[in-house]
Amino acid sequence: MDNPSGVGVIDKAAMVLDTLEAGPTSLAQLVAATGLARPTAHRLALALVHHRLVSRDMQGRFVLGSRLVELAAAAGEDRLIAAAGPVLMNLRDATGESAQVFRRQGDARVCVASAERPIGLRDTIPVGTQLSMKAGSAAQVLLAWEDHERLLEGLHGARFTPTVLAGVRRRGWGQSLGEREPGVASVSAPVRGPSGRVIAAVSISGPIERLTRQPGRLHAEVVCNAAAQLTEALRKTND
């Protein structure tokens, strides 16, 4: 490290993270790149795995963890919220349903922006509401592109199946019928950060009576367009 802070364990952890920026790394490669003793590198990497700053791929190699994505999303949340306002209002007006943006926060998903349907029966989700990652189309979208380990963990106890998530990845959007709450349907699509990782989900939600039992057929295109607009807005703010 060219400019150490003087706090040895932090500097060594930073070396590990800097090395993993290049991609999946075996323990031997980590030792060679950092110059750390093998036991030290292994201990630090496992500690970082514990805090989700590092993860393991299917070959057991170390990779950057999803917690970094969550922290980056939190840092960019002001940009996301600023861009979300007009996009959600247009989405609400186009569909006639309440619209939201959800961001993952640990084992929950949090509504960070919303545009409520002004009149009639609606699915009200105020900003700041925490909902389960085990049910609902937004949870499907936020989980579908996770690494293998977190995907398996997220499916444990979930109302949706691996086949459902495979469909989300294939189509680029998710839908749910009464998963989160009886009688409520929803459609969601992914918002991607400048790195291409999914950092949020755009959703509409309302009664199944209006959205029908195939809400994606009615609204997937406009929800995906809204997600694409937010993705583009975040890309521009990073230029």
Side-chain angles (χ1 to χ4, degrees):
M1 178 169 286
D2 295 332
N3 186 28
S5 68
V7 182
V9 68
I10 298 296
D11 291 338
K12 290 172 184 175
M15 288 171 62
V16 170
L17 295 173
D18 288 346
T19 300
L20 298 185
E21 186 177 3
T25 307
S26 68
L27 179 58
Q29 291 170 327
L30 193 59
V31 169
T34 61
L36 297 171
R38 187 181 181 92
T40 301
H42 191 234
R43 187 172 66 251
L44 279 172
L46 291 182
L48 291 168
V49 167
H50 176 77
H51 289 289
R52 297 195 292 113
L53 296 167
V54 169
S55 187
R56 307 289 286 268
D57 68 8
M58 294 181 69
Q59 287 76 46
R61 297 172 299 181
F62 295 104
V63 296
L64 292 176
S66 56
R67 181 63 181 144
L68 294 172
V69 179
E70 294 170 7
L71 292 171
E77 187 174 314
D78 286 347
R79 295 195 300 273
L80 177 63
I81 292 172
V87 171
L88 288 184
M89 285 189 286
N90 289 338
L91 181 58
R92 176 199 63 194
D93 293 345
T95 62
E97 304 297 343
S98 299
Q100 308 90 26
V101 172
F102 291 97
R103 187 171 64 81
R104 182 165 188 172
Q105 195 171 83
D107 294 329
R109 53 186 170 102
V110 180
C111 179
V112 297
S114 70
E116 296 290 352
R117 189 174 192 266
I119 58 172
L121 190 61
R122 58 189 176 184
D123 184 35
T124 301
I125 304 175
V127 170
T129 301
Q130 291 194 8
L131 298 175
S132 171
M133 277 293 296
K134 302 295 185 181
S137 63
Q140 296 172 16
V141 164
L142 291 171
L143 185 61
W145 284 273
E146 286 281 16
D147 62 65
H148 184 70
E149 185 178 325
R150 285 204 89 190
L151 194 65
L152 292 179
E153 179 185 324
L155 282 166
H156 184 70
R159 298 285 303 277
F160 42 79
T161 66
T163 302
V164 168
L165 295 190
V168 171
R169 290 191 296 273
R170 184 179 67 252
R171 297 188 307 261
W173 53 268
Q175 65 179 1
S176 68
L177 296 169
E179 269 187 18
R180 174 178 62 82
E181 185 178 332
V184 173
S186 67
V187 181
S188 299
V191 178
R192 296 180 183 273
S195 70
R197 292 290 300 268
V198 174
I199 64 165
V202 174
S203 302
I204 60 163
S205 57
I208 292 174
E209 286 80 0
R210 275 203 310 265
L211 272 75
T212 77
R213 300 199 67 82
Q214 292 184 307
R217 177 176 291 182
L218 286 179
H219 297 305
E221 183 177 359
V222 68
V223 174
C224 286
N225 287 341
Q229 289 173 35
L230 286 178
T231 296
E232 179 65 14
L234 293 176
R235 188 190 66 78
K236 286 180 177 178
T237 59
N238 200 57
D239 290 343

